[in-house]
Amino acid sequence: MSEYSMRLFEDDAAIVAIGEGLLALSLPRADWTHEAHLAACTWLVRNRPDIAIERELPAIISAYNEAVGGVNDDTQGYHETITQVYIAGVKAHLAEVGMQLPLHEAVNALLLSHRGRRDLPLQFYSKERLFSVHARRGFIEPDRESLELI
C-alpha cells in the first residue's frame, strides 16, 4: 500500500456530522473517506446502541452508496468482509481505550493505530481472498491470521 497522510479530527462535532450524514444519506460523497468510515463506525458503536452494528451497517453503507450515485456490485461499492474486519477493529480499540475519551480523541487514536490502517484486512487475508466476489458479497473467514488477533 502506498503511504498517505491520515486526516485527523479536531472535534467531536465533525464526527457526529459524518455519522448523522451517513444515516440520513446526505453526507457528501467526497467526505466518505477511510477516516470517515472509521469515525462513523466508532460513533455508531459508542452513541447508537439501538443499531446492531454488525447486522445493520451493511445496509446503511449500501444505501448510502446508492444515494450518492454509487453502485454495489461484484467489483465496487459495499464490501462485507472489509466492513466486518473494521467493525471488529473499532470494537477492540474501544475495549482498550474505553468510552471515557472524547469521541475525536478515541477516533484519532484509532486512526493512528494499526487497526486504523488502510491495509489492516490484508494482515488477515490474502489479496486474492479479500478481493474476491465472495468476500465482497458476504463475510468469509481469513486465510492468513485469525481475526482474534485484531
Side-chain angles (χ1 to χ4, degrees):
M1 290 235 128
S2 61
E3 290 300 313
Y4 59 92
S5 51
M6 191 65 71
R7 292 162 288 206
L8 302 178
F9 294 92
E10 293 187 23
D11 56 38
D12 291 1
I15 296 167
V16 172
I18 289 168
E20 289 177 348
L22 173 65
L23 293 177
L25 309 178
S26 63
L27 182 71
R29 188 176 192 168
D31 293 348
W32 191 228
T33 63
H34 172 73
E35 295 88 350
H37 277 74
L38 294 179
C41 185
T42 303
W43 175 73
L44 288 165
V45 169
R46 278 184 45 157
N47 297 84
R48 292 298 304 270
D50 58 307
I51 294 176
I53 193 83
E54 289 90 353
R55 189 179 74 242
E56 295 181 51
L57 189 57
I60 292 168
I61 293 174
S62 293
Y64 170 78
N65 287 343
E66 292 172 5
V68 296
V71 175
N72 299 302
D73 64 17
D74 289 346
T75 62
Q76 59 188 331
Y78 180 74
H79 193 296
E80 175 71 8
T81 300
I82 290 174
T83 298
Q84 295 302 327
V85 168
Y86 280 111
I87 290 171
V90 165
K91 285 186 159 188
H93 174 72
L94 289 174
E96 282 182 7
V97 302
M99 301 289 197
Q100 306 311 315
L101 283 178
L103 180 61
H104 74 283
E105 288 182 20
V107 169
N108 289 343
L110 170 64
L111 292 171
L112 294 171
S113 77
H114 78 280
R115 293 183 184 117
R117 293 180 51 100
R118 293 173 193 262
D119 62 352
L120 174 69
L122 292 171
Q123 175 183 338
F124 306 98
Y125 295 87
S126 64
K127 284 184 180 181
E128 297 76 24
R129 186 162 175 86
L130 183 63
F131 297 115
S132 69
V133 173
H134 293 309
R136 179 176 291 279
R137 293 296 192 184
F139 177 77
I140 62 172
E141 293 295 328
D143 61 344
R144 294 189 70 207
E145 289 185 12
S146 170
L147 286 175
E148 293 176 8
L149 299 175
I150 206 159

